[in-house]
Amino acid sequence: MNKVRTRFAPSPTGYMHIGNLRTALYTYLIARKNGGDFILRIEDTDQERYVEGAVDIIYNTLKKAGLNWDEGPDIGGPVGPYVQSERMGMFKQYALELIEKGHAYYCFCDKERLEELHSVQQASHIPPMYDRHCRNLTQEEIQEKLDAKIPYVIRQKMPLEGSTTFHDEVYGDITVENSVLDDQILIKTDGMPTYNFANVVDDHLMGISHIVRGNEYLSSAPKYNLLYKAFGWEVPTYIHCPPVMKDATHKLSKRNGDASFEDLLAKGYLTETVVNFIALLGWAPKGEEEIFTLDELISEFDINGISKSPAIFDDVKLKAINGAYIRRLTLDEFLNYATPYIRQTCKREDIDIKLLAEVLQPRTELFTDIPEQVDFIDELPEYSTELYLHKKMKTNEENSLSSLKEVLPVLEALEDWSVEGIHTTLFELIAKLEVKNGLVLWPVRVAVSGKQFTPGGGIELCRILGKSETIKRIKSGIDLLHSTLN
């Protein structure tokens, strides 16, 4: 078997959208799993859509995702150049070779004739297709037009009868009647190749063995196959992937404001999360496990796991995967990520930020959720006594007031203001009062935070806030309940 060589060939037209990055990831995984080469080629021939700085975005995105390439524009390689616009001189000779072999021809039809043809076809509800007007010109007629310098394109000469079958690893064998294939343009009037033609020639010259792309290219595959066969080249292995959808009917689209890779990182997702999540968009691992590092993906990935069905971008699943990765971090790693988010709303320097990180980590799915979770630390928010009502804890305003009155003196007398010290003291009180834990701990949590949902329970919050601030807030809770009940 020849060496596996895959390529990711993006156009520098802006941000890296999720579907594009998934193509890059699958391409990378196939190469790495088979001990092959992963090649980066920049397809920049569509200058109208070229975006300044987009090549750097491609480089940075792939590097951040850990998809390091073996050959490419920045590092070179044996089959360069790796930027398509720098390869332009070579394509016409291949088109001329096809003319000689009888698989392509000169077409001298001008724009007006083609527009008129399409208008007639449209009015007759016929699919737009070139009518092959120039396909059978004699050698003399062709030479005459070339000598007269009449502008021309070079078109592929499709077989008029029979069918073309190609194999795709995801969709199986697909057969297309040759009669529906248009004589597509290979070389434009300016001498530049079309995207389809340049792709085939470049893939062959670069020794590409496996081609991963979206299933919107399925309809072009027969044309590619016929080109490979016309040249007598080996046909690569095709892997067409289903689209990534926002929902059942809408494709993900940057134009519609759907997230790019950079956007997801800015929203607080870890790079590892995004890569893991993208891998699962249209691919299913063999077992139940869905959390994979990039190295684990290399060993787990199997083309047979790619689905034919569209993949739905599921925010809930993305968050859950992010939460799983956050819980895998060491406390110091988590603290490093979390500190900027903590400091957006919590400016106090005297708090134990490491303990705060410890209680936040198991409850964090997105770093951007942190500022709202800790915004009570600097200042107790205004809150309603309805927060003291908790069905499961069996608390209400009356018994919460009673509990806080019992808690206040024992916390005021406490000297060991550690989590263990606070825990021991409050549980001794609970035992003495012969009540359920929640009857004491829930009112404490509400009094010190003014919130229903907090990172950690009342004991950790008391330790984080410090003794004087905790006492002050419990007194405020008592006053608030007093004024509500009287």
Side-chain angles (χ1 to χ4, degrees):
M1 181 181 148
N2 293 336
K3 187 171 188 183
V4 168
R5 283 172 65 81
T6 67
R7 52 79 171 161
F8 178 53
S11 301
T13 55
Y15 289 101
M16 180 86 76
H17 64 74
I18 296 304
N20 221 354
L21 186 56
R22 183 188 64 174
T23 300
L25 176 60
Y26 288 2
T27 304
Y28 172 86
L29 294 175
I30 290 166
R32 291 288 172 265
K33 174 139 191 168
N34 294 286
D37 298 323
F38 174 58
I39 293 141
L40 175 61
R41 184 172 80 219
I42 302 295
E43 300 199 334
D44 63 342
T45 49
D46 190 349
Q47 288 299 313
E48 283 176 25
R49 292 177 64 223
Y50 180 83
V51 173
E52 199 63 48
V55 173
D56 289 330
I57 290 171
I58 292 165
Y59 288 161
N60 294 338
T61 301
L62 293 178
K63 281 175 184 167
K64 271 185 199 165
L67 310 184
N68 299 313
W69 50 99
D70 302 299
E71 300 168 28
D74 54 337
I75 54 175
V79 291
Y82 293 88
V83 176
Q84 208 167 53
S85 59
E86 294 170 18
R87 301 171 65 83
M88 286 298 105
M90 67 176 74
F91 296 106
K92 190 159 181 188
Q93 72 190 57
Y94 285 98
L96 293 175
E97 185 187 322
L98 286 181
I99 290 176
E100 279 175 40
K101 289 179 170 178
H103 296 296
Y105 60 94
Y106 292 101
C107 171
F108 299 94
C109 294
D110 58 25
K111 195 178 169 188
E112 287 71 29
R113 183 183 183 279
L114 294 175
E115 282 176 358
E116 189 184 331
L117 172 67
H118 287 153
S119 298
V120 171
Q121 288 172 334
Q122 214 170 2
S124 310
H125 303 292
I126 298 168
M129 200 170 172
Y130 179 56
D131 63 358
R132 304 186 164 112
H133 178 73
C134 295
R135 182 168 165 135
N136 298 312
L137 293 175
T138 65
Q139 200 52 51
E140 291 74 24
E141 287 171 319
I142 293 166
Q143 196 56 53
E144 195 180 299
K145 290 177 188 297
L146 290 174
D147 292 343
K149 303 223 170 353
I150 294 173
Y152 64 85
V153 298
I154 296 178
R155 289 183 183 272
Q156 185 176 355
K157 191 182 274 189
M158 297 295 180
L160 301 178
E161 294 171 351
S163 60
T164 296
T165 298
F166 71 95
H167 181 75
D168 178 77
E169 292 298 307
V170 177
Y171 292 88
D173 285 341
I174 293 177
T175 300
V176 177
E177 294 302 315
N178 291 331
S179 58
V180 304
L181 298 177
D182 196 2
D183 284 4
Q184 66 175 346
I185 294 172
L186 306 178
I187 299 290
K188 297 179 279 190
T189 50
D190 59 4
M192 295 292 109
T194 55
Y195 171 83
N196 284 340
F197 187 55
N199 238 301
V200 167
V201 174
D202 279 345
D203 285 340
H204 169 73
L205 294 178
M206 291 184 172
I208 303 304
S209 64
H210 292 67
I211 292 172
V212 181
R213 58 182 170 226
N215 70 356
E216 67 269 24
Y217 290 102
L218 271 174
S219 59
S220 302
K223 299 174 188 177
Y224 295 146
N225 256 28
L226 288 166
L227 282 172
Y228 280 105
K229 285 174 181 168
F231 281 117
W233 296 340
E234 195 176 333
V235 177
T237 299
Y238 295 120
I239 301 109
H240 287 86
C241 301
V244 181
M245 308 289 282
K246 186 177 189 167
D247 51 43
T249 51
H250 299 94
K251 274 191 180 183
L252 269 193
S253 157
K254 180 71 185 166
R255 227 171 294 154
N256 297 336
D258 295 320
S260 68
F261 176 72
E262 292 292 335
D263 293 333
L264 292 176
L265 297 189
K267 285 181 178 181
Y269 291 102
L270 293 165
T271 303
E272 297 90 330
T273 299
V274 181
V275 171
N276 190 155
F277 176 70
I278 287 172
L280 299 172
L281 286 173
W283 170 75
K286 286 192 178 82
E288 296 299 309
E289 183 59 58
E290 288 197 319
I291 306 297
F292 301 107
T293 63
L294 189 55
D295 283 343
E296 288 165 346
L297 279 172
I298 291 169
S299 61
E300 284 290 325
F301 190 76
D302 182 349
I303 293 169
N304 295 326
I306 298 174
S307 169
K308 294 187 181 81
S309 308
I312 306 289
F313 189 98
D314 182 349
D315 288 300
V316 175
K317 187 171 186 174
L318 177 60
K319 268 193 178 184
I321 292 173
N322 204 53
Y325 272 97
I326 285 174
R327 288 188 290 280
R328 282 184 173 194
L329 297 171
T330 66
L331 183 57
D332 285 338
E333 285 169 338
F334 176 77
L335 184 58
N336 194 38
Y337 278 114
T339 298
Y341 295 96
I342 291 171
R343 289 304 181 201
Q344 282 179 31
T345 54
C346 171
K347 312 289 185 190
R348 278 181 59 181
E349 293 294 336
D350 61 332
I351 63 151
D352 185 340
I353 196 166
K354 197 156 190 177
L355 176 60
L356 181 56
E358 206 174 304
V359 297
L360 277 168
Q361 188 172 0
R363 296 167 177 83
T364 301
E365 284 194 327
L366 261 185
F367 290 112
T368 44
D369 294 341
I370 289 175
E372 196 182 338
Q373 288 191 66
V374 300
D375 60 1
F376 67 91
I377 291 175
D378 284 12
E379 193 178 341
L380 182 70
E382 281 188 25
Y383 68 95
S384 159
T385 55
E386 285 180 9
L387 289 187
Y388 287 102
L389 310 176
H390 196 299
K391 204 178 266 187
K392 192 180 170 192
M393 305 292 181
K394 297 189 169 53
T395 57
N396 55 40
E397 289 159 330
E398 288 83 0
N399 60 26
S400 292
L401 176 59
S402 173
S403 291
L404 290 179
K405 281 182 172 177
E406 295 282 358
V407 164
L408 183 60
V410 299
L411 288 185
E412 282 180 321
L414 180 61
E415 289 182 10
D416 173 18
W417 200 262
S418 64
V419 169
E420 294 77 16
I422 300 164
H423 183 278
T424 301
T425 300
L426 289 181
F427 273 82
E428 281 173 358
L429 176 63
I430 289 164
K432 182 185 149 193
L433 296 174
E434 296 181 337
V435 294
K436 297 268 189 187
N437 300 347
L439 213 64
V440 170
L441 298 181
W442 183 255
V444 169
R445 179 193 280 217
V446 173
V448 299
S449 69
K451 295 177 80 125
Q452 193 173 10
F453 303 105
T454 57
I459 291 167
E460 294 103 332
L461 299 185
C462 290
R463 170 67 187 91
I464 289 163
L465 289 164
K467 184 173 179 177
S468 62
E469 184 64 22
T470 298
I471 300 298
K472 182 177 145 192
R473 292 185 180 197
I474 286 176
K475 284 178 177 174
S476 294
I478 291 169
D479 291 343
L480 182 63
L481 286 163
H482 255 306
S483 61
T484 304
L485 291 167
N486 293 329

